[in-house]
Structures are given as structure tokens and as C-alpha cells.
């Protein structure tokens, strides 16, 4: 059993406790010096954690308690009104209309409702308290619950994080701790007075019925609201200014009158045109201070990868690019910014999934075949393979079983069409037989009963991608907290996600236009020079050069490898892989998840001591 709450210094976190003496010892352990506490009407702890003043709004009305934690602009009057709504569910219904990204914790008469976000930027995790007669705890960090209850590392779940690409519903969003489970983004948690837990479904994708023009107006309004709640009273603010999506965020903030410090990172590729478009945009906006970061100043991929010390709640692909990602945030902190806006999430919303063609085929065959021919021609896909995918009507569970069978096959080439439930992930050549069997077993456990996130291939792919990639926004926020910077990714906000997904897929996703929804939404907001841009900068040079320049740091990870000690990787082929040139698109990308897991294990060990692996069983059941 751990001797104290496992949370990093200065990190934000919270734990919700039921109104029972059965969890008193854990509440005492969590309530270390420096934490905040909000009690139940009984006086027992209800909410314990650490959060900045600007992130919280609380209210009380008789036996009712309410707390809003995250990025929002909820007034005391609004919080009081929600607390008086009559029940936790009624309070949740009110909170669903508030823009931003936040957790809601609402209680009345000892019963508590906890709600996160659809994408999981505001995740929820639960665990059953040992020996507490069925009582559960709820938190926004899985590692905090693991530390409080002494949960063991689940090697099978950790092995899942070796997959590339790491998008496989529901496995890749689950925790790496035994007995600590993630709450799916479309569900909320209900705790009774004794701490007995159940979850209930509370969200479904909106009907995709809006035409492009109407959807664009809604997206513009929702983005304006999402930016406004974050910038209010927080100047100067900073922002990435690179591609189409981040440009929309910067322009929205500038039009709202925020004093904005924008940063554009140049790349070595002579075809990279982020700087050119950024300068054109800034020239037509008022109140934007623009900094171009020269390409040689930005760290390369794999920079100091053997010395990373971020205490994240899960392994992260961002480990390989940690210093690239954080370089601008660090400059922003030096400039005095307490809020950094990002365009993360825009690709998932506005590029979308061409797999929607699969679902359009029975309902709008002429439109579907036209789109299919366009995507196939544009990407030079095999027509035969594309046709086979479009005619494949297998349920998601059958596709998942095929993934389990093919885990060790070579990665599919980039030329394979994308009309299926997902891109089949693979384990790397250095994964041990033990790792392969653990992942295969977990997939088989899910395949029989799992349901896709949406009825069609396209909707499922989009939501699975949103939920998986949103955790990287969580990671960057956790990296930014020690700098005193709030990292914000408004495209992951529930209301904005709903607005984008409500647009007809044949209007939103097309082979003949680049992100038409955000292009139309930003008419009159983003200067015309950047609004209709159709290019996107890539950093293949930074990846390939970084591997060569930082090879010694990468190889140092495999000396006394923690993954090897857990029996999940074979170091010899892993070292061989790192010693040869790698293509950035597939071969190097296959390496990223392994690096992320190794770095995470080492950082956890430095902060909290070695994890306690459980070798007898690699299973686990999600909430």
C-alpha cells in the first residue's frame, strides 16, 4: 500500500470522496499540506485536490454542492443557479450549455454526479477502495488513484501502448493500472452515499444533418465562445500560429480584442510555408505580437529523450517531440503569458474521416461513389482494395478480432485506402511474445461485446481519433503546469465538437477542398490570405535529422531498459532498429510508442519509485 497520494508537485488533480467513514483513511492520506478541500454537509471530505484559483467555481445551496474545474468563465451567479437546479442531473443539464472544457462535480443529499468531457481532455477515472464495502473514488488522474490505493501496474495494458498507430477503441484509452478504470467520454459517474458506483450514458453524436453554410456559422460561434471564456481577464495570452486551425484560433482571439503573442516555428523544409502565411495573417490583424522562431533554434525530434522528467498520468507519444512541442510554450512563459492557445484537434474535426463514404453508400450511392472515386484518385489508392473495403459490412467486433490476428504483421503501407473501421495497429518487431499475447488477449476480451463509438465507419473513426489524440492535449497541459501556463486546445471542447460533427459528412469531408468547414466558418474572421490556404507544413527533416543527431540519447534508453525488465521488449532488435536510417512516416513512427512507454516508466520511477507489476494476469475490465 502506498504511503501517500501519488501526485507530482504543482500538478492539478482532484479526488471525489463519498460521504462515508469507510474512505476516511484515504481522505486523510490525500489531504496532504497544500491541497484544497471541500466538505460534504456532514463535514466529511467531498472534494480534495490541487487546482489554481482561476480554474474553480464552487457553490452551495442547502444540502447541494457544486464545483466546476477547468477552463471556463462560469460566474458565481451561474454556479449558484446550477446548484439550485434541484438534482445533480439537473445541474449537469445546466452545465452542458457552458462553453469551455471543464469537469462538473455536483452533489445533493450525499449523492454525487461527476462529468468530464466527450473527448477525454477532462478525463474521469474510478477505482474501488479495498476493504471499504464497495465504496469507490473518482479522480481526473489515474495515477493519483493508483497511488492512493496501491494499485499495481498492469503489464498487459502497458503493452497496448506499444501499438502503432495507437488508436484502437476501447483499449488505447484505458489506464495502465490494475483496478483503475477510465470512464468513457459519453458516460458520467454517479456515486451514492456509501460510494457505490454506476455510470450512465449521457451523450451521443449529433445527427449529421446541417448543410455546410449553417454548420459553419455554428462552428464560428462556438469557437468564438471557446476562445472568449479562456482569454477573459488573462492578458497577455500566447498562441501557436502555424496551420489553418491555429490561425483560426489566433484570429478569433485577436478579433475579440485579446492582446495576443503569436509564435510560428519555422521548419527546415524549403516548401514549409507556415511563416509566409503567418506573416500575411498578422499583417491584417490588430493587437498581435508575432515571433518567428528560426528552424535551427527549435529542438529536433528525440532531443534529450533520455533525460525527460515529466510526470504524466499515462505514457505519451509526445516524449519524442517533447522539447519541440514545449519550446514555444517555454518562450511564451518567459514573455509573461499564463494562457497558451493551440490548434490541436483541428485536423480531427475538419479533415475528418473519408470512411464516411462507407456509410453514405446505402443511403446516397451516387454521392458516395463520386466521393470514393475522388479519394481513390487523389491518394492513388488501389481501386480493388477500396471497393472491397466499401462493400465490407462486418461489425466492429469482427474487425477487432482481425486486428488481434494480425498484430505482428508488417504495417500497412500508406497507400492502403481508409474506408474501414480504422487503420489496423501493429506491435513493433521488438515486442516479446509475452507482450503480443497480452495485447491479443485483451483485444479478444473486448471483441465479443464491444460497440463502435458511432454506427458508421466514419463517425467511429473520428470519435476514436478524437478520444485518443485528446490525451496529448492533456499531456501538454501537464507539461505546462510547472511553467505557470494553462495550455488550451478549444477544438476539443464538447460544444465545438458537436457543432462540427453536426455537419453533413459529404459537405465537411471532400477530396476536392481542404477543410471546407473551417474555411467557411472563418469567412470574415481569418484574413483571406490565410483562410483559403490548402497546405500544411511537415517536419520529416526534423525527425530524420533528429534520429541521427540524438541517436546516442535514444540508445541510452535501452541500457537497463525498464520495458525489458517487464518482459515486454527484446532490446537487441530494438537497438538494431535505432542504429539504421528510418523513414519518418512509418519506420520511425513505429518507434515512438516504445520510447513513450520507456520514458514514462523511468520518470515514474524517479518520482514515485519502481511500479509494482503484476505478472499473473494481464486482463482488465473497463468501466
Amino acid at each position: 500500500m502506498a504511503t501517500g497520494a501519488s501526485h507530482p508537485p504543482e500538478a492539478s488533480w482532484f479526488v471525489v470522496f463519498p460521504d462515508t467513514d469507510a474512505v476516511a483513511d484515504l481522505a486523510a492520506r490525500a489531504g496532504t499540506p497544500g491541497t484544497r478541500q471541500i466538505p460534504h454537509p456532514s463535514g466529511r471530505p467531498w472534494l480534495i485536490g490541487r487546482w489554481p484559483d482561476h480554474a474553480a467555481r464552487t457553490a452551495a445551496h442547502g444540502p447541494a454542492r457544486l464545483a466546476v474545474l477547468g477552463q471556463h468563465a462560469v460566474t458565481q451567479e451561474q454556479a449558484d443557479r446550477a446548484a439550485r437546479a434541484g438534482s445533480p442531473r439537473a445541474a449537469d443539464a445546466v452545465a452542458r450549455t457552458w462553453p469551455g472544457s471543464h469537469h462538473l462535480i455536483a452533489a445533493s443529499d450525499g449523492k454525487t454526479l461527476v462529468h468530464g468531457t466527450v473527448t477525454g481532455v477532462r478525463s474521469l477515472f474510478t477505482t474501488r477502495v479495498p476493504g471499504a464495502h464497495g465504496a469507490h473514488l473518482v479522480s481526473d488522474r489515474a495515477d493519483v488513484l493508483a497511488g492512493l490505493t496501491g494499485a499495481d501496474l498492469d503489464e498487459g495494458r502497458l503493452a497496448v501502448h506499444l501499438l502503432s498507430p495507437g488508436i484502437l477503441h476501447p483499449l488505447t484509452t484505458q489506464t495502465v493500472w490494475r483496478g483503475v478504470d477510465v470512464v468513457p467520454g459519453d458516460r458520467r459517474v454517479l456515486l451514492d452515499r456509501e460510494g457505490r458506483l454506476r455510470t450512465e450514458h449521457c451523450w451521443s453524436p449529433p445527427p449529421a444533418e446541417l448543410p455546410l453554410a449553417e454548420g459553419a456559422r455554428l462552428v464560428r460561434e462556438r469557437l468564438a465562445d471557446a476562445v472568449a471564456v479562456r482569454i477573459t481577464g488573462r492578458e497577455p495570452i500566447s498562441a501557436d500560429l502555424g496551420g489553418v486551425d491555429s490561425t483560426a484560433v489566433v484570429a478569433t482571439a485577436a478579433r475579440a480584442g485579446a492582446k495576443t503573442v503569436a509564435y510560428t516555428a519555422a521548419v527546415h523544409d524549403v516548401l514549409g510555408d507556415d511563416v509566409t502565411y503567418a506573416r500575411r495573417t498578422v499583417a491584417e490583424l490588430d493587437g498581435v505580437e508575432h515571433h518567428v522562431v528560426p528552424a535551427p533554434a527549435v529542438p529536433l525530434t528525440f532531443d534529450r529523450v533520455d533525460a525527460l522528467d515529466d510526470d504524466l498520468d499515462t505514457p505519451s507519444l509526445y516524449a519524442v517531440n517533447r522539447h519541440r512541442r514545449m519550446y514555444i510554450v517555454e518562450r511564451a512563459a518567459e514573455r509573461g503569458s499564463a494562457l497558451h492557445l493551440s490548434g490541436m484537434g483541428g485536423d480531427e474535426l475538419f479533415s475528418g474521416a473519408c470512411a464516411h463514404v462507407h456509410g453514405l453508400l446505402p443511403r446516397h450511392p451516387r454521392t458516395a461513389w463520386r466521393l470514393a472515386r475522388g479519394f481513390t484518385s487523389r491518394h492513388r489508392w488501389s481501386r480493388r482494395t477500396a471497393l472491397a473495403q466499401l462493400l465490407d459490412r462486418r461489425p466492429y467486433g469482427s474487425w477487432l478480432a482481425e486486428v488481434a490476428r494480425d498484430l505482428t504483421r508488417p504495417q500497412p503501407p500508406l497507400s492502403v485506402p481508409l474506408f474501414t473501421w480504422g487503420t489496423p495497429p501493429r506491435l513493433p518487431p521488438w515486442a516479446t511474445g509475452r507482450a503480443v499475447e497480452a495485447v491479443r488477449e485483451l483485444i479478444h476480451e473486448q471483441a465479443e461485446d464491444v460497440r463502435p463509438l458511432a454506427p458508421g465507419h466514419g463517425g467511429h473513426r473520428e470519435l476514436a481519433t478524437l478520444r485518443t489524440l485528446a490525451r496529448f492535449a492533456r499531456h501538454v497541459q501537464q507539461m505546462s503546469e510547472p511553467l505557470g501556463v494553462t495550455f488550451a486546445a478549444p477544438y476539443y471542447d464538447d460544444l465545438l465538437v458537436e457543432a462540427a460533427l453536426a455537419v453533413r459528412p459529404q459537405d465537411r469531408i471532400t477530396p476536392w477542398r481542404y477543410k471546407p468547414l473551417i474555411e467557411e466558418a472563418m469567412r470574415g474572421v481569418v484574413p483571406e490570405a490565410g483562410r483559403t490556404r490548402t497546405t500544411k507544413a511537415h517536419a520529416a527533416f526534423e525527425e530524420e535529422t533528429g534520429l541521427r543527431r540524438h541517436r546516442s540519447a535514444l540508445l541510452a534508453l535501452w541500457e537497463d531498459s525498464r520495458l525489458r525488465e517487464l518482459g515486454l521488449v527484446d532490446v537487441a532488435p530494438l537497438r538494431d532498429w535505432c542504429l539504421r536510417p528510418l523513414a519518418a512516416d512509418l519506420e520511425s513512427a513505429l518507434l515512438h510508442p516504445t520510447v513513450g512507454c520507456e520514458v514514462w516508466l523511468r520518470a515514474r520511477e524517479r518520482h514515485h519509485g519502481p511500479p509494482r507489476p503484476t505478472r499473473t494476469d494481464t486482463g482488465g475490465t473497463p468501466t
Side-chain angles (χ1 to χ4, degrees):
M1 179 72 70
T3 58
S6 177
H7 53 80
E10 302 183 55
S12 295
W13 57 274
F14 69 79
V15 179
V16 180
F17 291 86
D19 193 11
T20 171
D21 288 332
V23 297
D25 289 345
L26 292 184
R29 187 176 298 132
T32 55
T35 58
R36 299 172 183 259
Q37 297 193 31
I38 302 175
H40 285 281
S42 66
R44 298 186 184 95
W46 176 54
L47 197 60
I48 298 178
R50 181 180 286 115
W51 54 82
D53 290 337
H54 64 79
R57 179 67 68 184
T58 62
H61 179 71
R65 297 289 184 272
L66 182 133
V68 187
L69 299 175
Q71 297 173 15
H72 60 86
V74 177
T75 66
Q76 190 62 55
E77 181 181 358
Q78 289 173 313
D80 290 340
R81 187 181 306 120
R84 297 194 300 266
S87 71
R89 286 190 183 88
D92 190 30
V94 173
R96 285 285 299 150
T97 66
W98 294 335
S101 174
H102 47 79
H103 286 97
L104 176 78
I105 307 102
S108 182
D109 297 321
K111 300 176 182 178
T112 298
L113 177 150
V114 194
H115 197 171
T117 60
V118 169
T119 63
V121 167
R122 307 288 159 186
S123 289
L124 288 176
F125 304 95
T126 66
T127 192
R128 183 168 179 166
V129 179
H133 309 293
H136 287 72
L137 304 181
V138 184
S139 178
D140 64 333
R141 283 189 63 134
D143 55 347
V144 170
L145 293 183
L148 278 174
T149 61
D152 296 325
L153 181 71
D154 189 313
E155 295 175 24
R157 290 186 180 185
L158 181 61
V160 168
H161 286 266
L162 300 176
L163 288 169
S164 180
I167 303 174
L168 188 65
H169 167 72
L171 280 78
T172 48
T173 56
Q174 293 172 359
T175 83
V176 296
W177 306 105
R178 175 167 299 280
V180 179
D181 298 314
V182 67
V183 179
D186 57 359
R187 303 188 73 83
R188 58 191 175 192
V189 171
L190 297 169
L191 286 177
D192 68 14
R193 186 182 298 274
E194 301 304 318
R196 290 181 291 266
L197 177 146
R198 63 188 178 91
T199 68
E200 62 182 21
H201 188 267
C202 61
W203 185 87
S204 296
E209 298 173 347
L210 296 182
L212 183 62
E214 185 177 347
R217 286 194 296 272
L218 185 59
V219 166
R220 180 168 58 249
E221 293 169 2
R222 294 286 170 81
L223 179 58
D225 291 342
V227 170
V229 300
R230 291 169 165 95
I231 65 177
T232 301
R234 307 189 72 188
E235 291 188 347
I237 65 164
S238 57
D240 299 323
L241 178 56
V244 169
D245 307 317
S246 60
T247 299
V249 173
V250 169
T252 299
R255 302 290 189 192
K259 182 179 179 182
T260 306
V261 184
Y263 293 86
T264 304
V267 295
H268 292 85
D269 187 350
V270 295
L271 297 180
D273 52 6
D274 278 359
V275 172
T276 299
Y277 278 101
R279 284 175 171 155
R280 292 175 183 173
T281 297
V282 170
E284 299 186 42
L285 293 174
D286 295 327
V288 178
E289 175 187 316
H290 188 215
H291 298 271
V292 174
V293 184
V298 184
L300 298 170
T301 302
F302 300 112
D303 179 66
R304 291 168 284 167
V305 73
D306 61 331
L308 299 182
D309 200 40
D310 298 299
D311 199 358
L312 308 180
D313 60 345
T314 61
S316 179
L317 285 178
Y318 263 41
V320 299
N321 279 310
R322 192 271 182 201
H323 292 302
R324 285 185 59 76
R325 173 71 258 185
M326 293 303 296
Y327 185 83
I328 285 179
V329 179
E330 290 163 356
R331 303 291 78 74
E334 293 171 358
R335 177 62 181 79
S337 171
L339 172 73
H340 190 78
L341 293 169
S342 168
M344 288 179 69
D347 283 339
E348 296 94 287
L349 282 185
F350 304 126
S351 292
C354 63
H356 278 290
V357 174
H358 184 275
L360 286 171
L361 193 58
R363 297 180 286 114
H364 306 285
R366 183 173 298 179
T367 299
W369 286 121
R370 179 172 172 269
L371 289 170
R373 286 193 296 269
F375 283 118
T376 301
S377 176
R378 175 183 175 184
H379 299 294
R380 299 181 181 179
W381 290 337
S382 161
R383 293 184 179 181
R384 177 176 296 180
T385 305
L387 179 62
Q389 290 186 356
L390 289 170
L391 297 179
D392 185 354
R393 297 289 146 177
R394 287 179 300 167
Y396 181 66
S398 297
W399 178 84
L400 203 58
E402 185 178 272
V403 170
R405 184 195 68 195
D406 295 340
L407 280 176
T408 57
R409 294 187 63 185
Q411 286 183 293
L414 295 178
S415 58
V416 170
L418 303 176
F419 297 133
T420 59
W421 286 109
T423 300
R426 301 288 192 252
L427 284 171
W430 48 85
T432 62
R434 169 174 162 70
V436 173
E437 288 309 309
V439 176
R440 189 167 280 151
E441 180 180 341
L442 286 170
I443 294 176
H444 282 310
E445 287 179 3
Q446 304 290 334
E448 290 187 9
D449 300 320
V450 69
R451 294 182 179 181
L453 294 170
H457 290 188
H460 171 80
R461 284 186 81 127
E462 287 176 347
L463 287 172
T465 303
L466 281 164
R467 290 188 180 185
T468 302
L469 300 190
R471 66 184 176 189
F472 301 141
R474 283 169 50 81
H475 295 156
V476 178
Q477 169 60 20
Q478 291 166 13
M479 295 173 189
S480 302
E481 282 177 340
L483 301 173
V485 176
T486 297
F487 180 83
Y491 289 125
Y492 287 125
D493 290 6
D494 284 5
L495 296 180
L496 193 46
V497 167
E498 290 173 358
L501 298 185
V503 178
R504 295 182 306 208
Q506 60 267 42
D507 292 348
R508 181 166 57 92
I509 305 146
T510 167
W512 301 287
R513 291 182 68 182
Y514 181 68
K515 299 184 177 180
L517 179 54
I518 193 65
E519 177 186 325
E520 291 299 322
M522 289 297 101
R523 192 180 295 276
V525 178
V526 170
E528 286 301 297
R531 185 180 69 85
T532 56
R533 178 184 175 185
T534 61
T535 58
K536 181 179 177 68
H538 298 281
F541 175 94
E542 285 74 9
E543 172 102 10
E544 295 167 1
T545 305
L547 176 61
R548 293 195 299 271
R549 191 168 298 175
H550 301 298
R551 198 184 304 273
S552 60
L554 185 58
L555 290 170
L557 288 177
W558 317 129
E559 299 173 7
D560 194 25
S561 166
R562 276 50 169 185
L563 286 170
R564 181 190 60 79
E565 291 175 3
L566 293 174
L568 299 180
V569 304
D570 184 346
V571 168
L574 180 51
R575 286 181 58 85
D576 289 345
W577 192 273
C578 296
L579 285 169
R580 62 185 179 87
L582 299 175
D585 52 2
L586 286 178
E587 293 179 313
S588 186
L590 193 63
L591 182 62
H592 293 185
T594 302
V595 173
C597 289
E598 182 69 31
V599 165
W600 181 79
L601 286 168
R602 289 171 179 262
R604 292 290 307 175
E605 184 176 304
R606 283 191 290 272
H607 286 281
H608 309 287
R612 302 188 311 178
T614 300
R615 296 184 176 273
T616 56
D617 178 16
T618 57
T621 304
T623 301

